[in-house]
Amino acid sequence: MAVKHLIGLNFTSENDIQTILNTAFDLKNHYGAALNTAPKSLSDKNLVLAFFENSTRTRMSFELALKHLGAGTLGFTSDSSSIKKGETFTDTLKTFESMAVDGVIIRHPHSGAAQTISSLINKPVINAGDGLHEHPTQALLDMFTLRECFGKLNGLRILILGDILHSRVARSNIFGLQKMGAHVSLCAPITLLPAGLNRMNVSLYSNLDRALEDVDAVIVLRLQLEREAGGFIPSIDDYSRHYKLSEHHLDKLSKKVFILHPGPLNREIELTNTIADNPFSDSRFQSMILNQVTNGIIVRMASLQYIFC
Ligand code: CP
């Protein structure tokens, strides 16, 4: 049987996305907060968490997901590995394979790293975020969270706001949300929009108030200063003046809007503290940011089951 991977949502079918989301809903309905009582369906597996770039949410939620499913976890951090002694990426991966690990979960700063690994070793590869390419499990947990909010994805109007150029989260969400029937629009300074958007069937805005008209939810993105996003804007103050999501933008809308952000946040640059920290459902806007983090565990359990079960 062919080895199954989760490299990105561009080449994941609507049916497979639906399967992962449905599995995640089944897990939540059956086990709720007691995910540790879920069947240990991966008890015969050992997976490497190969992190070549910093992470808090993705790494910890994969660790918990693997634990809840009974799998063994081999933690690998490039900074404390033999990479520091000059070992190559390929030799590192071949070393994992020689230890007969059952799969690799990879976070890497270079676009295409996950695809490269899938051609180097004959084991399932799950992309935990590679460069500017894709972050499929983040988009899956975003879609899961949106489906919890609205009961559906089809027909929703989702605005992605901010540093689209450097965002693997935006790319995965565009592919995934469109496959599930949502309408996606983007709002960013023109310098933070990637080439090729005309092939992606998205609406583009540079004015935030206009972009917000009639949206159901906003996915706010991090300004990726570590990827030199600062060089694409006049200044952070200027960016915030035009693109920081603030109460005054949301208060004048005719309907309630749900707010998502993949994290980590640059507070008061991308959105105000008031919006980020408002989980109240009776408000005109509701932050789902911590719900996303919680849902990340279930969605990663479902993604692992999709690959291995
Ligand atoms: N959203 C996300 O990928 O967060 P981390 O970098 O903390 O994993």
Side-chain angles (χ1 to χ4, degrees), residues 248-267:
H248 73 82
H249 292 117
L250 300 178
D251 282 340
K252 55 191 171 197
L253 299 180
S254 58
K255 62 181 176 189
K256 174 179 170 175
V257 176
F258 287 89
I259 309 299
L260 288 76
H261 190 305
L265 314 180
N266 288 314
R267 288 175 171 272

Side-chain angles (χ1 to χ4, degrees), residues 233-252:
I233 51 175
S235 68
I236 291 177
D237 276 355
D238 183 83
Y239 176 85
S240 292
R241 201 160 39 250
H242 293 100
Y243 295 100
K244 177 171 76 176
L245 190 65
S246 309
E247 298 80 274
H248 73 82
H249 292 117
L250 300 178
D251 282 340
K252 55 191 171 197

Side-chain angles (χ1 to χ4, degrees), residues 54-59 107 128 135 138 168-169 262-264 300:
N54 295 344
S55 167
T56 299
R57 291 151 199 78
T58 311
R59 183 179 181 128
R107 154 85 46 115
H135 193 348
Q138 177 68 46
R168 55 201 178 203
V169 175
R300 289 182 171 115

Side-chain angles (χ1 to χ4, degrees), residues 197-269:
L197 285 175
N198 53 343
R199 295 193 300 273
M200 294 183 109
N201 196 26
V202 289
S203 308
L204 298 178
Y205 296 90
S206 55
N207 179 282
L208 181 51
D209 280 317
R210 289 200 56 204
L212 285 165
E213 284 169 15
D214 209 27
V215 299
D216 297 300
V218 185
I219 301 175
V220 185
L221 298 175
R222 188 166 62 85
L223 190 61
Q224 299 203 24
L225 297 169
E226 78 279 19
R227 297 191 212 277
E228 311 303 334
F232 292 82
I233 51 175
S235 68
I236 291 177
D237 276 355
D238 183 83
Y239 176 85
S240 292
R241 201 160 39 250
H242 293 100
Y243 295 100
K244 177 171 76 176
L245 190 65
S246 309
E247 298 80 274
H248 73 82
H249 292 117
L250 300 178
D251 282 340
K252 55 191 171 197
L253 299 180
S254 58
K255 62 181 176 189
K256 174 179 170 175
V257 176
F258 287 89
I259 309 299
L260 288 76
H261 190 305
L265 314 180
N266 288 314
R267 288 175 171 272
E268 295 295 338
I269 294 176

Side-chain angles (χ1 to χ4, degrees), residues 51 75-85:
F51 276 63
F76 171 92
T77 312
S78 56
D79 276 352
S80 59
S81 75
S82 291
I83 295 245
K84 285 284 170 195
K85 301 179 200 164

